[in-house]
Amino acid sequence: MALLTPQGVKKVFQFQKAAGREHLRRLLNWEEFDELRDSRRSILLDTLYESIIFAVGKGFPWVEVAKVVKFTEELLEETKGCSITEAVTILGNKLRDYQGQFNTTHLLALCDYFHNTFIRHYKLYQYVLGQDQEVNLTVAHLEVCAPPQPLPLAEGMDKALWKHEQQVAELSLAEVQKRTSVMLVKETLHLEAEHMLQKKFSEVPARQSAVLKREELENLINEAIHIQIESLKKLLQYEIQITFDILNLKFQKKILNLNAPVPFPLSITGQPGQEESLKFNKATKGKKAKAKR
């Protein structure tokens, strides 16, 4: 049982509760312990800490506050396994033993404190502090993801306006994708035409002389022209369809912009009708002032 000093209990009181309990544990020369698994020691430390808070709240001098902790520790130790009648007797005897260390007011306050806490909940104290408890504890380590840092309020906008901007952005992205697809199809058809021309040229029988007959040359040219025309036809059909799609997207963007929500708050000077009304009112007031003169 450690002897606490007035300076030690004063420092315990000055700390926040968690730090104060930890400092009290060191003053008592207790080893570190797991608060969850060793609930008995944790509750005992709470009891001693609360006795310091009680004594300071009642105006006990720091010397007497240290004695209250000693009184509490002794009482808890001496009443282990006793009946409530025996506990009341032990409490009375200890109060008589400490008569010379506390004045009458503080002794009565100490008596009331232990009657209203320790004696009133005596069975609970005995159950927790008087016998070993079987602890079945499951500890799970969970990762908690904090919410993202919100943007400054000055960068916020009305929900309807934000939704409108998202729709316009989606239409603009779709238009870019359409234009990109035209370039890809054009490149693909070009490669296909080159491949087909190479295939046709490779089908021409190899001869000793490099001169072709007129009929063979005409057929080869016609095949090449046909391949090119088919490629251009496919490309033209695709470009026409894509052009209509892009025009449709532009039309949708135009409709959206015409029905765009008005940002809040409204600018009074930004509306022509209101500006004319303000000018008219000013002119009327000027005329009335001249008439009075």
Side-chain angles (χ1 to χ4, degrees):
M1 200 173 291
L3 181 62
L4 299 180
T5 63
Q7 294 78 13
V9 293
K10 181 178 181 180
K11 200 166 184 180
V12 169
F13 177 77
Q14 289 173 339
F15 282 130
Q16 294 294 326
K17 183 174 182 179
R21 289 175 77 256
E22 177 61 20
H23 188 66
L24 178 60
R25 180 193 65 77
R26 290 196 294 266
L27 293 177
L28 294 171
N29 295 324
W30 289 4
E31 294 181 359
E32 291 187 18
F33 61 93
D34 189 336
E35 295 271 356
L36 296 176
R37 297 184 182 279
D38 195 348
S39 58
R40 176 197 291 184
R41 189 167 287 265
S42 177
I43 293 171
L44 179 57
L45 185 61
D46 274 333
T47 304
L48 297 178
Y49 176 80
E50 292 299 330
S51 69
I52 293 176
I53 302 302
F54 151 75
V56 175
K58 290 296 183 179
F60 282 52
W62 293 114
V63 175
E64 294 185 8
V65 172
K67 292 178 181 179
V68 169
V69 179
K70 182 174 180 293
F71 181 96
T72 304
E73 195 173 10
E74 290 175 352
L75 179 65
L76 293 174
E77 183 65 30
E78 293 173 12
T79 53
K80 279 184 180 180
C82 297
S83 65
I84 189 169
T85 304
E86 293 171 333
V88 171
T89 303
I90 292 172
L91 175 60
N93 292 335
K94 289 199 71 63
L95 289 170
R96 279 193 294 272
D97 293 341
Y98 275 80
Q99 278 183 349
Q101 302 184 44
F102 299 108
N103 62 40
T104 304
T105 303
H106 291 164
L107 197 66
L108 289 175
L110 192 63
C111 178
D112 289 340
Y113 173 72
F114 280 100
H115 269 286
N116 292 327
T117 56
F118 180 67
I119 299 301
R120 177 172 294 182
H121 306 288
Y122 182 71
K123 289 185 178 180
L124 180 61
Y125 274 97
Q126 285 298 305
Y127 180 78
V128 175
L129 303 178
Q131 57 187 351
D132 293 332
Q133 304 296 325
E134 183 179 353
V135 179
N136 296 318
L137 181 65
T138 301
V139 179
H141 298 281
L142 302 177
E143 182 180 358
V144 179
C145 298
Q149 186 68 24
L151 294 174
L153 292 177
E155 297 181 14
M157 65 173 64
D158 184 74
K159 183 178 180 181
L161 183 60
W162 177 85
K163 187 175 181 181
H164 167 76
E165 290 187 358
Q166 294 297 312
Q167 291 173 334
V168 172
E170 289 174 2
L171 292 174
S172 299
L173 178 61
E175 183 179 343
V176 172
Q177 291 174 344
K178 292 288 183 183
R179 295 185 187 278
T180 305
S181 67
V182 171
M183 298 173 62
L184 293 175
V185 169
K186 186 176 182 179
E187 184 67 23
T188 302
L189 291 175
H190 177 70
L191 293 174
E192 287 180 357
E194 282 189 354
H195 177 71
M196 293 177 70
L197 287 173
Q198 290 290 340
K199 186 177 180 182
K200 284 295 178 184
F201 292 151
S202 64
E203 292 175 356
V204 177
R207 298 181 181 179
Q208 297 293 333
S209 60
V211 180
L212 295 175
K213 293 181 179 180
R214 181 185 181 86
E215 183 180 353
E216 291 176 344
L217 185 58
E218 287 179 352
N219 289 336
L220 188 60
I221 292 173
N222 288 335
E223 286 290 341
I225 293 173
H226 177 72
I227 291 172
Q228 292 288 352
I229 290 175
E230 286 297 319
S231 178
L232 290 173
K233 181 182 176 182
K234 290 180 181 179
L235 179 60
L236 184 60
Q237 289 176 343
Y238 189 77
E239 284 183 338
I240 292 172
Q241 180 61 47
I242 292 298
T243 301
F244 276 109
D245 292 343
I246 291 175
L247 289 173
N248 183 41
L249 291 172
K250 288 181 176 294
F251 179 72
Q252 292 182 48
K253 285 172 66 176
K254 188 68 175 177
I255 295 298
L256 278 176
N257 288 328
L258 289 175
N259 297 322
V262 180
F264 182 82
L266 293 173
S267 177
I268 297 177
T269 59
Q271 300 182 16
Q274 291 180 343
E275 287 183 356
E276 293 297 329
S277 177
L278 289 172
K279 290 178 181 178
F280 176 76
N281 289 336
K282 287 181 179 179
T284 305
K285 289 180 180 179
K287 290 178 180 180
K288 288 181 178 179
K290 289 180 181 179
K292 287 181 179 180
R293 291 175 185 175

